């Protein structure tokens, strides 16, 4: 487990951008936190860390967005409106998990289903401060800590 305090939206994006080089195809990140906690902005910074030119938006209607990048593509999923794991499976998105880094907002809804993932939790500590906690089944803590400290 590793925690870092973000003091602004830009801070959150910079944190995500810095750790992006530690990830590759097949890696899975679950993003947890209330509405407006900063999950989408985290993915925005993360995608910038892959030098992607695609713009990151909340995947409101399509449930998922793909962002192209030279090193590997990013698959951004939002499970807020997905009620069951069956409904998620019907989307066929897991077919792409091996070929992309996968970031899933509200992924902890089905936490038992997604194993072997890094959990990134964002907790609001006021208007602009967010405590970001990295946890879950990941061997990347030491690298994340070394990158961010
Ligand atoms: N430290 C911070 N980190 C991230 N966002 C912040 C921070 N401080 C303020 N904000 C603001 O909080 C909001 C976060 O919005 P964002 O869409 O990223 O949240 P979200 O967790 O994806 O919400 P949702 O659950 O609706 O998808 C933005 O308006 C952003 O400007
Ligand atoms: Mg969002």
């Amino acid at each position: 487990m590793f925690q870092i305090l973000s003091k602004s939206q830009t801070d959150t994006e910079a944190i995500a951008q810095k750790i992006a080089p530690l990830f590759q195809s097949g890696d899975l990140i679950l993003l947890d936190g209330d509405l407006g906690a900063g999950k989408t902005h985290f993915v925005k910074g993360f995608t910038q860390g892959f030098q992607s030119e695609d713009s990151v938006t909340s995947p409101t209607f399509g449930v998922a967005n793909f962002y192209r990048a030279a090193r590997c593509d990013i698959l951004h999923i939002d499970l807020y409106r997905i009620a069951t794991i069956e409904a998620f499976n019907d989307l066929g998105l897991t077919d792409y998990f091996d070929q992309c880094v996968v970031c899933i907002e509200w992924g902890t809804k089905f936490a038992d289903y997604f194993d072997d993932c890094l959990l990134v939790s964002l907790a609001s500590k006021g208007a602009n401060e967010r405590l970001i906690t990295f946890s879950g089944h990941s061997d990347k803590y030491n690298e994340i800590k070394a990158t961010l400290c």
Side-chain angles (χ1 to χ4, degrees):
M1 203 258 268
F2 174 69
Q3 291 186 310
I4 188 166
L5 185 68
S6 158
K7 293 189 170 166
S8 66
Q9 176 193 306
T10 315
D11 233 4
T12 296
E13 289 174 10
I15 288 165
Q17 184 169 0
K18 275 188 203 158
I19 66 166
L22 306 177
F23 294 83
Q24 57 198 347
S25 298
D27 284 338
L28 179 57
I29 300 176
L30 299 191
L31 293 142
D32 194 32
D34 292 340
L35 288 169
K39 301 179 291 296
T40 298
H41 281 87
F42 186 96
V43 177
K44 190 175 174 199
F46 189 79
T47 300
Q48 282 164 356
F50 279 79
Q51 283 87 43
S52 174
E53 289 177 7
D54 292 342
S55 55
V56 172
T57 54
S58 196
T60 312
F61 297 109
V63 181
N65 293 336
F66 284 94
Y67 312 119
R68 280 172 298 278
R71 190 159 67 78
C72 80
D73 293 344
I74 296 119
L75 171 56
H76 180 193
I77 300 172
D78 191 328
L79 295 181
Y80 186 67
R81 290 175 187 78
I82 302 295
T84 63
I85 198 65
E86 289 74 22
F88 171 72
N89 272 324
D90 286 349
L91 298 169
L93 290 168
T94 50
D95 291 354
Y96 301 94
F97 275 30
D98 287 349
Q99 309 159 34
C100 305
V101 180
V102 185
C103 297
I104 310 184
E105 296 191 39
W106 299 98
T108 48
K109 268 169 111 168
F110 311 126
D112 291 347
Y113 179 81
F114 301 113
D115 51 3
D116 204 18
C117 63
L118 177 71
L119 177 61
V120 179
S121 304
L122 296 107
S124 298
K125 299 282 171 193
N128 294 310
E129 295 198 346
R130 306 286 190 268
L131 183 62
I132 304 178
T133 304
F134 298 92
S135 64
H137 298 283
S138 173
D139 52 8
K140 298 195 198 293
Y141 298 128
N142 289 339
E143 289 173 286
I144 289 171
K145 196 173 169 185
T147 304
L148 296 177
C149 288

